[in-house]
Amino acid sequence: MKHHFLPKLALLFIAFLSGAAYAQDLPTVALFTTGGTIQSKGAHRQKLMEYGEGRVTPAELLADLPELKDIAIMEVHEISNVGSGSIGADHHLRLAKQITETLARDDISGAVVTHGTTTLEETAYFLQLTVKSEKPVIVVGAMRPFTAASRDGPFNLYNATRVAIEPTAVGKGVMIVLNDTIHSARFATKGHTYHVETFDSRDIGPIGYTDSDRVVFYRTPLVRHTANSEFDVMDLDELPKVDIVYGYQEASAAPIPALVEDGIDGLVLSSGSRNFGGEIKKAQAAGIIVVNSDRKGAGRVVLSDRRFSSGYITADNLNPQKSRILLRLALTKTSSLKEIQRIFNEY
Ligand code: ASP
């Protein structure tokens, strides 16, 4: 069509109409914000690692990224505005319930959760085990604050939203998107204190990439998750108490009786230590379930005859912090060692 034959006003009208129709066709994404570096402010643009100058609101986060309006309508749900060291069972339960309820609506395509990166993998794995939906759930953060000259937050949020509306992301469980890379929540762990390339899925690698032309997936997790998970937290207001004890040369066993005294239901070991044996036996005799994970963060902990006869659950290749999440959910269903080991084998 030769546009220059049309009066200018008519052209403007056509542009307005097509723009309006386009906006109506956009998918809606539910954005759940919790805080973290992606929302944090530093004193000036060169401050990449110190950012104690408050946090931006979800509205400021979105106003800063007008490009999102071209790809999705964002429906904001503010859960909290805290560092990820302050996230716990209360946040997990609220997120799992609200995301499940929101994704059940036909008008919602997917969910994005903003989160501090330090403990992001724990929340992502909790959601992977508890959100009852096939729709994509993407957990995103940033390594550099909102105010940094070279901040990574806006593009991470943009890419997380692209994955949340991506049809081929359906059924892949909860994903972590940072640094142009898509990881499964089951396998990713934070691996660097400040580099933007920090998430790493050690045993299997990332499942895809958010390239500029398209979102591309190369694999899909085969472990049980989301819609296919047996865990149901919709009626729960609290979770069993599980803690972690770190294993190292000459490790003191003193934390174990202290934690038992504190009322734990389960205990995860980051590896064994000769000194732990007696206190572990006492904890097990008191009904506490003990999971043997591994501090190396890659490779399975196999179910050897010795571990089996000592009553240990083995964590497969889940790191200690993720083993803790799975054990507390397992304990909402059973205290049978056999059943809990089955759960660790399947999730
Ligand atoms: N301190 C931050 C946190 O909330 C770190 C981050 O978001 O990268 O975990």
Side-chain angles (χ1 to χ4, degrees), residues 12-24:
L12 272 176
F13 187 60
I14 291 167
F16 172 77
L17 277 185
S18 58
Y22 179 60
Q24 274 169 15

Side-chain angles (χ1 to χ4, degrees), residues 92-104 126-127 129-133 230-239 329 332:
H92 286 178
L93 290 170
R94 277 194 288 142
L95 277 167
K97 291 175 192 179
Q98 288 189 32
I99 294 173
T100 299
E101 281 162 7
T102 309
L103 292 184
F126 185 85
L127 298 177
L129 297 169
T130 54
V131 168
K132 293 273 176 257
S133 178
E230 71 199 75
F231 304 114
D232 184 356
V233 296
M234 296 307 275
D235 293 324
L236 297 184
D237 294 321
E238 51 186 31
L239 292 168
L329 282 167
T332 64

Side-chain angles (χ1 to χ4, degrees), residues 20 22 47 94 137 189 217 221 226 244 246 298 306 308 314 317:
Y22 179 60
K47 285 275 186 204
R94 277 194 288 142
V137 177
T189 190
F217 284 103
T226 54
I244 300 172
Y246 204 81
R306 186 182 56 78
F308 181 72
T314 58
N317 62 0

Side-chain angles (χ1 to χ4, degrees), residues 9 47 66 68 77 100 136 182 201 223 230 250-251 294 337 340:
L9 208 63
K47 285 275 186 204
L68 268 185
H77 304 246
T100 299
I182 309 169
S201 295
V223 289
E230 71 199 75
E250 301 177 85
D294 198 284
L337 287 176
I340 296 174

Side-chain angles (χ1 to χ4, degrees), residues 149-182:
S150 59
R151 65 221 176 104
D152 54 332
F155 217 62
N156 286 345
L157 180 55
Y158 186 80
N159 281 334
T161 306
R162 287 175 65 208
V163 181
I165 60 176
E166 165 60 41
T168 59
V170 171
K172 291 199 167 55
V174 175
M175 289 160 269
I176 297 173
V177 171
L178 270 93
N179 197 40
D180 307 339
T181 309
I182 309 169

